[in-house]
């Protein structure tokens, strides 16, 4: 999979992110909610020098009439999601310019696009069927996230921002599959303080990656 694929994934993810789906809290309901004061406190942890920065005053908004706290949940989810896509895209952009898998890309024996091509040209050289496979997977992940995996509330309705649902329901009813995050359940042994520090690192790295991948383009 080329990084240009991931860039397109970010566009698809972005489109879905601006169409929130309202779901009722389920058995995994959470009491989580965020306010502007929470964002200000988080900003100090993320970057004590810059601090809280919201020149467009988005945190005071009420998108689609869902309420201010739900709007903040949407904004937090969108930032984390696009930060993750950008981190994958940045690394992939560097890697695919120098390496591709040694085996054929298709069952017909067609090779992967040459590394001498720019990532954008590599994407153009991919077969149409391969592109549609990528779009289908991306769409599935988006729908699964928006639906909370059939277990979690929506991120505008109490779910922790950035928490991608487990595939447990899919595993139980359709096919075995590993979770995207922590497929081997190693985080269960991680302390709350370490988890919080890593989440902070992820947001900062995601912000830097978004600037980095836009710089490449």
């Amino acid at each position: 999979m080329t990084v240009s694929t991931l860039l397109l994934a970010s566009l698809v993810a972005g489109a879905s992110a601006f169409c929130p789906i309202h779901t009722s809290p389920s058995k995994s309901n959470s009491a989580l909610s965020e306010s502007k004061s929470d964002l200000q406190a988080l900003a100090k942890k993320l970057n004590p020098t810059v601090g809280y920065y919201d020149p467009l005053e988005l945190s005071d908004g009420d998108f689609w009439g869902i309420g201010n706290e739900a709007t903040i949940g949407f904004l937090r989810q969108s930032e984390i999601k696009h930060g993750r896509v950008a981190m994958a895209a940045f690394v992939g952009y560097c890697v695919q310019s120098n390496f591709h898998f040694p085996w054929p890309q298709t069952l017909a024996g067609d090779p992967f696009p040459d590394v001498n091509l720019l990532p954008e040209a590599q994407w153009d050289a991919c077969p149409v069927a391969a592109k549609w496979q990528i779009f289908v997977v991306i769409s599935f992940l988006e729908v699964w996230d928006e639906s909370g995996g059939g277990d979690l509330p929506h991120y505008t309705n109490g779910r922790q921002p950035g928490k991608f649902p487990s595939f447990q329901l899919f595993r139980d009813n359709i096919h075995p599959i590993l979770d995207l995050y922590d497929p081997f359940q190693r985080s269960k042994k991680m302390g709350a303080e370490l988890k919080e520090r890593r989440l902070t690192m992820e947001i900062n790295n995601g912000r830097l990656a978004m600037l980095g991948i836009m710089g490449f383009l």
Side-chain angles (χ1 to χ4, degrees):
M1 181 184 297
T2 66
V3 153
S4 298
T5 297
L6 293 172
L7 294 179
L8 287 172
S10 105
L11 295 178
V12 176
S16 174
F18 282 90
C19 300
I21 299 174
H22 298 280
T23 59
S24 300
S26 66
K27 61 182 178 181
S28 297
N29 191 13
S30 170
L32 291 173
S33 61
E34 296 194 56
S35 63
K36 185 174 180 177
S37 60
D38 295 321
L39 293 182
Q40 293 170 337
L42 177 62
K44 285 294 183 182
K45 295 179 181 179
L46 292 171
N47 192 323
T49 302
V50 176
Y52 181 72
Y53 183 73
D54 182 20
L56 298 180
E57 299 182 347
L58 295 178
S59 60
D60 293 323
D62 179 5
F63 296 177
W64 309 288
I66 60 177
N68 180 250
E69 287 191 354
T71 297
I72 291 175
F74 163 78
L75 293 171
R76 293 266 285 116
Q77 172 81 3
S78 297
E79 179 185 30
I80 294 172
K81 176 189 293 184
H82 289 93
R84 289 170 177 170
V85 172
M87 286 188 281
F90 186 90
V91 173
Y93 202 102
C94 297
V95 172
Q96 75 175 46
S97 297
N98 300 282
F99 169 83
H100 65 69
F101 295 118
W103 52 80
Q105 183 184 27
T106 68
L107 294 176
D110 299 323
F112 283 90
D114 193 271
V115 294
N116 293 320
L117 297 174
L118 291 174
E120 294 80 4
Q122 289 176 329
W123 168 258
D124 290 338
C126 284
V128 173
K131 295 176 181 177
W132 277 110
Q133 289 174 13
I134 294 167
F135 292 146
V136 168
V137 172
I138 293 170
S139 299
F140 166 75
L141 295 176
E142 279 296 299
V143 170
W144 196 260
D145 186 27
E146 291 293 322
S147 65
D151 182 63
L152 297 177
H154 196 257
Y155 49 79
T156 61
N157 198 27
R159 192 205 314 173
Q160 180 182 0
K163 185 173 184 178
F164 194 87
S166 168
F167 290 126
Q168 189 61 51
L169 185 65
F170 192 90
R171 283 194 293 269
D172 291 343
N173 296 278
I174 302 178
H175 192 276
I177 184 174
L178 294 175
D179 288 335
L180 281 184
Y181 173 71
D182 193 21
F184 303 110
Q185 304 297 313
R186 293 180 178 178
S187 64
K188 288 185 176 181
K189 301 179 181 179
M190 194 183 300
E193 184 178 346
L194 179 58
K195 285 184 179 180
E196 182 179 0
R197 185 165 71 250
R198 288 192 174 186
L199 288 172
T200 301
M201 293 168 58
E202 180 187 33
I203 295 173
N204 277 330
N205 291 336
R207 290 176 176 177
L208 183 61
M210 285 188 278
L211 293 174
I213 195 61
M214 290 304 297
F216 275 150
L217 298 179

